[in-house]
Amino acid sequence: MKTIVPLKEVVKKGTPEATVEAVRTPGVWWVVILCVAWVVPGLVGHDPWKADEPYTFGLVNHILRTGDWVVPTLAGEPFLEKPPLFFITAAGFARLFSPLMPLHDAARLAAGFYSLVALLFAGLSGRELFGKGKGRIAALLVLGCIGLQPTAHKLITDTALFAGFSVALYGLALCSRRHLTGGFLLGTGTGMGFMAKGLLAPGLLGLIAMALPLAASEWRSRRYAVTLAVALVAAAPWFVVWPYALYLKAPHLFDEWLWVQNFGRFLGHNDLGPKNKPGFYLYTLPWYAWPALPLAIPSVVKERSWRRSGSPLLLPLTAFVVMLAVLSLSRDARGLYALPMLLPLGFLAVRGEELLNGRFARGLNSAAVVIPTVAALLLWGGWLAMTTGVPAVVSDAILRRHPHDPVVRPFLVVTALLYTVAWGVAVWRCRRIGPRFSVIWGAGMVMVWGVVMTLWLPWQDAGKSYRGVAASLVQAMSPHACISSRGLGESERAMFEYLAGIVTKRVEVGAPVGCTLHLDQLRSEPKDSPPAAGWVKVWEGRRPGSNDERFVLWRRGDIPGRSRVSAGP
């Protein structure tokens, strides 16, 4: 720990200095260790998990097999939902580390890379806005958000988008002091966000940049205009290279990406994403952005300085308001889309924690210890019940969810134990630091995530992996047989190609129906419906414990009485 706050700032009136201990904040390396210990669990040791990881890896796998990064392709079909920055990065990690680990694990390291970049620049923004030592608190408050826990470790493009927003916001925070560097980082972060997920990042960051001069006079300056000009120059290569290459190679795919996947999704002119509900983010953020949101509210309500020029609260508050307004107007909505809002909320929470006092502060500090402790007890207790079978009612309930043979893996158990013990030590060592809540809560989230992704990793993999279904399907098929499909999702097509080499001809996109085999993916349909007369069911399978999807294989003109293979309950 490093003392950074002068003693006189914490000495109460009339209290002898000799009786007061200096407020302490966590050291840089202590925070770095926490961030790395949080990022690593969950990156390796499991197959791509439904719903987003399988199709993302399918696009990465296409780049690895063909070298084509211009047209993202999934199971033989163009997939223009997102630009290829994350896919290219993941393919690079896969080539570099696949000799040491499975291909999908090596690709998933890209998620850890972008998550660390996001935390690094979140910390730099916190330091730039609030002063020395505050960047570490900002990074821990962002890290501790509930919604970030599963997302930051997934093989999904949103981690690159999150990193892009973090870099861009740091550029805005820096521009008043170093306007050229700030402009370069603003443009680079905007370009990263664009190449990760399309026009969302340029749109949001552009509106934030334009709103700041309207909010305060300090942003209405020649230096800020130069910052924006430098940002445009820095962003130009990101905006031009891939779209131009796509346009030259396939103009019709460029039009689909621009109008259908970007404007069409936002305006709701297609059925490609989950639809927004009134007030979706208002009832999602209280849990998704915990604890940053409740700490950000006092900083806005109590701290009146944000209304004046020069306030460090003005930038994060403007960014959050713009993000919330624009995302609420979009016709598509998911909790995942709220990820960029965690950054400005985390910055506001830095000041909010400073304003905590009295009973509310004591309650939050107690919650930072109690909640992770209860979570750890439940996780360890549930795992012991699952592996020993005692009590049977608990074990059966857990295994009914993801049926598998629970085997004790010493390495995972020892690692989970180390995370648990290390958290207890951190609680003891940090009992006298100033920003106690953010540090203890962040350490608690590291511990909980570490236990979840060690003790419970085999259980999760059993229910979320398609490996068993793909292996069973291959056994029921003739080698190299032509197979059509109906209702087969993006993730399923990607995993069947990767795990079993099965590429179907989808009837939904007008593929000719002349195959001897046909695969259906059924969700809520209670009965099987053959493609046409003369088709016989030869196989049915599903992921263990899955009740919302099943797969049925049909054969044209099969011999009556042929044995059927089944996978899963």
Side-chain angles (χ1 to χ4, degrees):
M1 302 294 175
K2 181 181 179 182
T3 303
I4 67 165
V5 180
L7 185 60
K8 63 181 180 181
E9 294 185 13
V10 296
V11 176
K12 297 181 180 179
K13 185 177 181 180
T15 303
E17 290 190 9
T19 64
V20 181
E21 297 186 46
V23 176
R24 301 168 72 86
T25 58
V28 173
W29 287 110
W30 198 83
V31 175
V32 169
I33 291 172
L34 270 182
C35 292
V36 173
W38 171 75
V39 164
V40 171
L43 292 181
V44 298
H46 63 86
D47 286 332
W49 285 348
K50 187 180 175 73
D52 297 308
E53 281 199 324
Y55 81 80
T56 303
F57 180 74
L59 298 166
V60 174
N61 195 31
H62 167 76
I63 295 177
L64 291 170
R65 289 187 295 102
T66 67
D68 180 12
W69 57 272
V70 177
V71 181
T73 302
L74 179 67
E77 298 179 16
F79 187 81
L80 275 299
E81 186 175 312
K82 302 174 181 71
L85 173 63
F86 185 82
F87 312 137
I88 295 171
T89 310
F93 274 93
R95 287 196 185 278
L96 186 60
F97 292 101
S98 58
L100 304 176
M101 61 187 69
L103 198 63
H104 53 271
D105 280 348
R108 199 182 290 112
L109 296 179
F113 165 75
Y114 280 117
S115 295
L116 288 176
V117 169
L119 291 178
L120 169 63
F121 281 92
L124 292 174
S125 296
R127 185 182 66 177
E128 189 67 30
L129 291 171
F130 302 104
K132 185 179 179 181
K134 301 304 181 182
R136 309 163 202 173
I137 305 306
L140 289 176
L141 286 168
V142 174
L143 177 153
C145 288
I146 298 295
L148 187 61
Q149 303 309 307
T151 305
H153 307 80
K154 284 184 177 180
L155 185 70
I156 54 176
T157 61
D158 295 84
T159 57
L161 177 71
F162 189 55
F165 269 98
S166 188
V167 173
L169 290 176
Y170 176 57
L172 285 172
L174 186 65
C175 68
S176 62
R177 187 168 61 87
R178 299 174 60 184
H179 63 292
L180 296 181
T181 304
F184 173 78
L185 291 172
L186 172 60
T188 300
T190 304
M192 289 173 58
F194 169 77
M195 281 295 292
K197 212 164 180 180
L199 296 179
L200 175 66
L204 287 175
L205 290 167
L207 289 174
I208 293 169
M210 290 187 292
L212 287 170
L214 301 177
S217 60
E218 64 185 281
W219 299 91
R220 297 191 289 269
S221 66
R222 183 174 299 176
R223 286 172 62 89
Y224 184 60
V226 173
T227 295
L228 297 184
V230 172
L232 287 175
V233 174
W238 300 87
F239 291 165
V240 172
V241 174
W242 175 74
Y244 185 63
L246 178 64
Y247 180 80
L248 291 180
K249 189 169 186 177
H252 65 289
L253 294 179
F254 173 83
D255 290 340
E256 177 187 340
W257 166 75
L258 180 61
W259 300 110
V260 177
Q261 298 294 345
N262 285 276
F263 292 106
R265 275 179 174 271
F266 186 86
L267 299 174
H269 292 167
N270 53 50
D271 296 322
L272 297 177
K275 297 307 176 186
N276 200 347
K277 299 178 181 179
F280 174 81
Y281 292 105
L282 295 181
Y283 60 77
T284 298
L285 282 174
W287 68 265
Y288 193 88
W290 172 272
L293 180 60
L295 287 175
I297 293 174
S299 69
V300 177
V301 175
K302 295 183 178 181
E303 188 78 4
R304 303 299 180 123
S305 64
W306 64 267
R307 302 179 182 180
R308 301 192 301 267
S309 294
S311 170
L313 301 181
L314 187 63
L315 170 59
L317 181 60
T318 302
F320 172 71
V321 170
V322 170
M323 290 179 184
L324 179 61
V326 173
L327 291 175
S328 297
L329 291 174
S330 173
R331 298 299 299 272
D332 283 1
R334 288 178 64 185
L336 183 64
Y337 300 165
L339 197 62
M341 285 191 277
L342 300 183
L343 292 166
L345 286 175
F347 304 153
L348 292 171
V350 172
R351 180 56 56 85
E353 186 176 24
E354 294 176 349
L355 298 173
L356 291 179
N357 56 66
R359 183 178 301 176
F360 184 56
R362 292 192 295 271
L364 277 180
N365 288 334
S366 299
V369 176
V370 172
I371 294 176
T373 299
V374 172
L377 291 174
L378 292 175
L379 290 169
W380 277 99
W383 177 80
L384 288 172
M386 177 177 62
T387 54
T388 63
V390 180
V393 62
V394 176
S395 177
D396 292 344
I398 294 173
L399 292 176
R400 192 180 305 116
R401 177 74 175 176
H402 292 167
H404 73 291
D405 183 18
V407 178
V408 176
R409 302 185 184 182
F411 175 77
L412 296 181
V413 176
V414 170
T415 304
L417 186 62
L418 289 175
Y419 269 89
T420 307
V421 172
W423 179 72
V425 173
V427 172
W428 174 256
R429 291 289 303 274
C430 298
R431 66 191 185 281
R432 291 183 178 178
I433 65 172
R436 187 170 187 268
F437 173 78
S438 58
V439 177
I440 298 302
W441 179 266
M445 288 297 98
V446 173
M447 180 272 295
V448 170
W449 181 254
V451 174
V452 168
M453 298 309 297
T454 50
L455 288 185
W456 291 84
L457 184 62
W459 178 83
Q460 295 180 82
D461 200 35
K464 296 181 180 181
S465 171
Y466 286 93
R467 188 172 296 273
V469 177
S472 178
L473 177 59
V474 169
Q475 294 178 1
M477 292 176 54
S478 304
H480 309 295
C482 174
I483 178 171
S484 59
S485 67
R486 177 179 55 187
L488 198 59
E490 297 159 352
S491 295
E492 292 76 13
R493 288 192 289 130
M495 286 297 95
F496 286 160
E497 180 186 25
Y498 172 56
L499 298 172
I502 299 173
V503 178
T504 66
K505 302 180 182 298
R506 294 199 302 149
V507 298
E508 294 95 331
V509 296
V513 182
C515 298
T516 58
L517 295 175
H518 178 82
L519 182 66
D520 279 337
Q521 181 175 354
L522 306 176
R523 302 188 186 277
S524 58
E525 298 86 343
K527 296 182 179 180
D528 303 333
S529 176
W535 291 82
V536 178
K537 184 167 74 171
V538 295
W539 174 87
E540 178 176 340
R542 69 179 72 193
R543 289 179 293 114
S546 173
N547 296 318
D548 60 350
E549 65 176 21
R550 59 192 178 95
F551 305 93
V552 178
L553 181 66
W554 305 88
R555 186 184 299 275
R556 188 195 301 271
D558 195 30
I559 302 174
R562 178 183 176 91
S563 61
R564 300 180 182 182
V565 182
S566 179

